[in-house]
């Protein structure tokens, strides 16, 4: 597991970026779920340990067989030659039973039967699970999503023509093969089958596309989406694993740490800034949304979006680009606030069935490795990690006390807030008084203007006269007026 530097000083949670890389020194990102190895090195180690275990099991089976045979031979040598006695059939039956015991021992230690007891238990659990009637709405939703992914996959392969038909044929055959192996192999072996299929398909595509890694990556993304959507119900959080138990343990642990404050983790984020608060909410939403996705790549995309929201929140708070040392404490804080559902199951699912190239390099691999480190930190978080005394840590964990009520820094912030509220109250009262005074002034001004207008009207009343008539309308001697002059023509 990745080792983290937990400083006793109030400098936050820090991790050396070199600690995120594979412990074997290959240069790729490691994973706590793989004991610090990258996907490639982990598979090599897993295969080595697996082959070693198989050899040890066979050696043990052969030794037990030799001991059984030697014990049977010594018991037979002590007796006389077989004779037709009443005990001859009994001895023959005893011999057959011992032979069956040896065969059973060898079968028990064979590679295909190493987890027989676990498989039998899984079969019983699966039978009891299948007797439950699934929710019709959930079944319809899963069926609709699967059908849509299948149609999208076929549409994508049409553009590839003949190679597309071959890819679809291999994917269908692989899904059918996995369906037959589900009851016979462990989830680790199923993961190996999926990873081997990815590798073989990628090698063939590289040969076909003449080394064009970008085209290969696009095809592999579609292949992963199609395969894992079809297999999701059978390989996500299978009953033969303890993934569900780990989920419950992590959720219980996070609920017990509800009292951890942003100051204890030294998170460089100021949630009083509206934009920062929005980014924090988006990050929490993204990490919770991860559980609703069915494809490992889509789950990784949720982690990447959450991480970018965290970097934006830090950048807005500090008004400068965020550093890697600021990112991990903030990610831990987001996980504690979100308490994502089935967190360990999602991490294990991505680890087992994601295209390994995404986890080994790139930003998706970097952010996923940091999330694994954050979860590992939460699981091992203690008093020293938060710069607390063991007594205070135990009291907070048991619920006997809360740091928000006893932390002097928190109390000072409360007092500052109360003082600020009092100041705002006084300011509001002054504003209200000014508004009332302005209202009275407006009313007085309106009344004064009305009085002045009335005084002027009283002093200078208006006289309304009738309209003026024609000029000669009152002349009674119109008939005595001479006729109008007419133009005269004189002879020259």
């Amino acid at each position: 597991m990745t080792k983290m530097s937990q400083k006793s000083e109030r400098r936050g949670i820090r991790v050396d970026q070199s600690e995120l890389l594979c412990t074997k020194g290959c240069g790729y990102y490691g994973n706590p779920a793989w004991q610090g190895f990258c996907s490639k090195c982990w598979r090599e180690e897993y295969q080595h340990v697996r082959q070693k275990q198989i050899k040890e099991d066979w050696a043990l089976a052969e030794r037990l067989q030799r001991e059984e045979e030697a014990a049977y031979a010594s018991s037979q040598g002590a007796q006389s030659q077989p004779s037709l006695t009443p005990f001859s059939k009994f001895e023959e039956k005893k011999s057959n039973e011992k032979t069956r015991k040896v065969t059973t021992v060898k079968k028990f230690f064979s590679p295909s039967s190493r987890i027989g007891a676990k498989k039998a238990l899984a079969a019983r659990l699966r039978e009891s699970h299948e007797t439950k009637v699934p929710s019709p709405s959930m079944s319809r939703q899963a069926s609709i999503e699967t059908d849509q992914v299948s149609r999208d996959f076929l549409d994508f392969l049409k553009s590839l023509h003949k190679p597309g038909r071959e890819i679809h044929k291999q994917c269908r055959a692989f899904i059918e093969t996995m369906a037959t192996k589900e009851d016979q192999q462990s989830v680790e072996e199923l993961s190996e089958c999926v990873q081997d299929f990815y590798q073989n398909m990628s090698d063939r595509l590289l040969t076909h596309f003449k080394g064009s890694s970008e085209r290969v990556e696009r095809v592999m993304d579609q292949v992963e989406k199609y395969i894992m959507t079809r297999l999701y119900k059978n390989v996500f959080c299978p009953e033969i694993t303890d993934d569900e138990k780990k989920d419950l343990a992590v959720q219980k642990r996070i609920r017990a740490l509800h009292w951890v404050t942003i100051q204890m983790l030294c998170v460089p984020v100021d949630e009083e800034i509206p934009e920062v608060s929005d980014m924090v909410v988006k990050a929490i939403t993204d990490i919770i949304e991860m559980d609703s996705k069915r494809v490992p790549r889509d789950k990784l995309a949720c982690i990447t979006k959450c991480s970018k929201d965290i970097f934006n929140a830090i950048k807005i708070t500090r008004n400068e680009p965020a550093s890697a040392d600021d990112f991990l404490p903030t990610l831990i804080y987001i996980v504690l606030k979100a308490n994502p559902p089935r967190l360990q199951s999602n991490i294990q699912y991505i680890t087992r069935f994601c295209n390994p190239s995404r986890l080994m390099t790139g930003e998706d691999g970097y952010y996923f490795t940091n999330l694994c480190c954050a979860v590992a930190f939460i699981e091992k978080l203690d008093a020293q990690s938060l710069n607390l005394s063991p007594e205070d840590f135990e009291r907070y964990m048991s619920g006997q006390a809360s740091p928000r009520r006893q932390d002097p820094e928190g109390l000072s912030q409360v007092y500052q807030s109360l003082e600020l509220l009092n100041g705002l109250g006084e300011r509001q009262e002054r504003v209200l008084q000014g508004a009332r005074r302005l209202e009275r002034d407006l009313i007085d001004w309106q009344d004064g203007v009305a009085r002045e207008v009335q005084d002027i009207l009283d002093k200078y009343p208006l006289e309304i006269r009738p309209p003026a008539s024609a000029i000669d309308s009152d002349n009674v001697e119109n008939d005595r007026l001479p006729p109008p002059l007419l133009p005269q023509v004189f002879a020259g």
Side-chain angles (χ1 to χ4, degrees):
M1 184 174 292
T2 305
K3 297 179 180 178
M4 286 186 230
S5 305
Q6 299 177 356
K7 307 292 185 181
S8 59
E9 301 177 3
R10 293 303 296 257
R11 296 182 181 178
I13 303 161
R14 299 181 183 275
V15 58
D16 190 349
Q17 296 305 300
S18 62
E19 296 176 1
L20 300 178
L21 300 178
C22 176
T23 56
K24 205 170 182 178
C26 64
Y28 295 118
Y29 289 122
N31 189 336
W34 297 327
Q35 299 179 2
F37 293 105
C38 68
S39 175
K40 179 175 178 294
C41 296
W42 170 249
R43 291 186 66 195
E44 294 175 354
E45 292 290 327
Y46 176 78
Q47 291 290 352
H48 175 72
V49 173
R50 183 181 178 186
Q51 293 298 328
K52 182 180 178 181
Q53 184 65 40
I54 291 174
K55 291 179 180 179
E56 292 178 354
D57 292 345
W58 272 103
L60 179 59
E62 292 175 355
R63 181 173 62 82
L64 293 176
Q65 181 181 2
R66 288 194 299 269
E67 292 177 357
E68 287 282 348
E69 291 174 349
Y72 177 67
S74 62
S75 64
Q76 289 290 85
Q79 300 175 0
S80 58
Q81 293 296 327
S83 58
L84 297 176
T85 64
F87 296 99
S88 49
K89 291 184 178 181
F90 173 75
E91 294 294 337
E92 182 180 358
K93 182 179 179 181
K94 184 177 180 181
S95 175
N96 292 336
E97 289 178 354
K98 290 186 176 181
T99 304
R100 284 196 300 271
K101 287 182 180 179
V102 174
T103 305
T104 303
V105 170
K106 294 183 68 175
K107 183 178 179 181
F108 177 77
F109 287 103
S110 63
S112 61
S113 305
R114 285 181 294 111
I115 53 172
K118 183 184 289 186
K119 291 303 176 185
L121 176 61
R124 290 195 298 271
L125 290 173
R126 197 158 23 250
E127 289 176 1
S128 63
H129 178 71
E130 289 174 354
T131 57
K132 300 178 182 179
V133 179
S135 171
S137 60
M138 293 181 63
S139 300
R140 282 196 302 271
Q141 182 179 359
S143 177
I144 293 172
E145 183 176 356
T146 302
D147 293 342
Q148 183 62 44
V149 169
S150 300
R151 287 194 295 268
D152 294 342
F153 187 58
L154 288 174
D155 293 339
F156 173 78
L157 294 179
K158 287 179 181 178
S159 62
L160 302 179
H161 305 293
K162 185 177 179 180
R165 291 192 293 272
E166 183 64 24
I167 292 171
H168 184 257
K169 179 180 178 181
Q170 293 180 9
C171 291
R172 288 292 299 272
F174 176 72
I175 291 174
E176 294 174 359
T177 303
M178 289 288 290
T180 61
K181 291 181 178 181
E182 178 189 351
D183 298 333
Q184 303 173 4
Q185 294 184 337
S186 66
V187 67
E188 287 78 14
E189 291 171 330
L190 295 176
S191 173
E192 282 292 305
C193 292
V194 174
Q195 298 297 333
D196 290 338
F197 180 78
Y198 286 156
Q199 187 63 47
N200 294 333
M201 178 67 72
S202 179
D203 293 342
R204 292 185 181 182
L205 292 175
L206 280 172
T207 303
H208 175 74
F209 292 127
K210 299 179 181 180
S212 178
S213 58
E214 294 181 359
R215 298 188 64 183
V216 171
E217 184 177 353
R218 286 198 299 270
V219 175
M220 289 303 301
D221 287 343
Q222 296 297 324
V223 168
E224 177 189 345
K225 183 176 182 180
Y226 174 69
I227 289 176
M228 297 316 303
T229 301
R230 299 290 298 271
L231 298 177
Y232 177 80
K233 182 177 65 175
N234 299 325
V235 298
F236 180 83
C237 191
E239 295 175 345
I240 58 176
T241 65
D242 59 349
D243 291 350
E244 185 176 1
K245 181 179 179 181
K246 292 180 179 178
D247 290 334
L248 296 175
V250 171
Q251 284 191 345
K252 183 178 179 181
R253 176 71 172 174
I254 292 177
R255 284 196 296 268
L257 293 170
H258 67 90
W259 49 269
V260 176
T261 63
I262 197 171
Q263 292 80 15
M264 291 179 179
L265 295 172
C266 296
V267 175
V269 167
D270 186 2
E271 292 188 85
E272 294 184 0
I273 302 175
E275 294 181 66
V276 175
S277 179
D278 292 341
M279 287 296 172
V280 170
V281 172
K282 287 180 60 179
I284 293 174
T285 304
D286 290 334
I287 197 68
I288 292 176
E289 188 182 2
M290 174 179 62
D291 186 59
S292 66
K293 305 299 181 181
R294 306 183 74 179
V295 183
R297 179 170 60 92
D298 294 341
K299 292 181 181 292
L300 274 178
C302 292
I303 298 174
T304 300
K305 287 195 298 183
C306 169
S307 302
K308 290 184 176 181
D309 291 336
I310 290 174
F311 273 106
N312 289 334
I314 298 174
K315 182 179 180 181
I316 295 173
T317 301
R318 291 193 164 183
N319 200 21
E320 62 181 11
S323 65
D325 290 335
D326 298 329
F327 170 67
L328 184 59
T330 312
L331 179 60
I332 294 172
Y333 175 70
I334 294 297
V335 173
L336 288 175
K337 290 197 69 174
N339 197 359
R342 300 192 292 186
L343 181 57
Q344 282 289 3
S345 291
N346 282 288
I347 290 177
Q348 292 295 332
Y349 177 70
I350 294 172
T351 300
R352 293 164 182 159
F353 300 106
C354 184
N355 191 337
S357 61
R358 287 189 173 274
L359 301 182
M360 295 163 61
T361 57
E363 61 179 9
D364 288 343
Y366 173 76
Y367 294 139
F368 179 71
T369 302
N370 275 274
L371 177 62
C372 295
C373 292
V375 175
F377 179 86
I378 290 173
E379 292 176 339
K380 296 184 178 297
L381 189 143
D382 56 12
Q384 184 180 3
S385 306
L386 300 175
N387 302 293
L388 296 173
S389 65
E391 295 77 13
D392 288 342
F393 182 81
E394 291 299 327
R395 286 191 297 113
Y396 297 157
M397 290 293 291
S398 62
Q400 298 177 1
S402 173
R404 293 184 176 88
R405 290 195 297 267
Q406 295 186 359
D407 188 7
E409 182 179 354
L411 289 176
S412 63
Q413 291 181 354
V414 171
Y415 291 143
Q416 290 177 2
S417 300
L418 290 175
E419 185 178 356
L420 179 61
L421 286 175
N422 292 332
L424 290 175
E426 295 175 358
R427 181 179 178 183
Q428 183 182 16
E429 184 62 29
R430 289 196 299 270
V431 171
L432 290 175
Q433 291 177 1
R436 296 190 191 99
R437 186 167 53 252
L438 177 61
E439 183 180 8
R440 290 195 300 269
D441 293 343
L442 287 174
I443 294 173
D444 294 341
W445 175 78
Q446 185 178 5
D447 294 342
V449 171
R451 285 195 299 271
E452 291 179 1
V453 171
Q454 188 62 40
D455 292 343
I456 293 174
L457 290 176
D458 295 341
K459 186 175 181 180
Y460 303 101
L462 295 177
E463 182 181 354
I464 301 176
R465 297 180 180 181
S469 59
I471 297 177
D472 297 333
S473 60
D474 298 334
N475 193 345
V476 297
E477 297 179 353
N478 286 339
D479 54 343
R480 298 180 183 181
L481 291 175
L485 294 177
L486 297 176
Q488 302 291 326
V489 178
F490 295 96

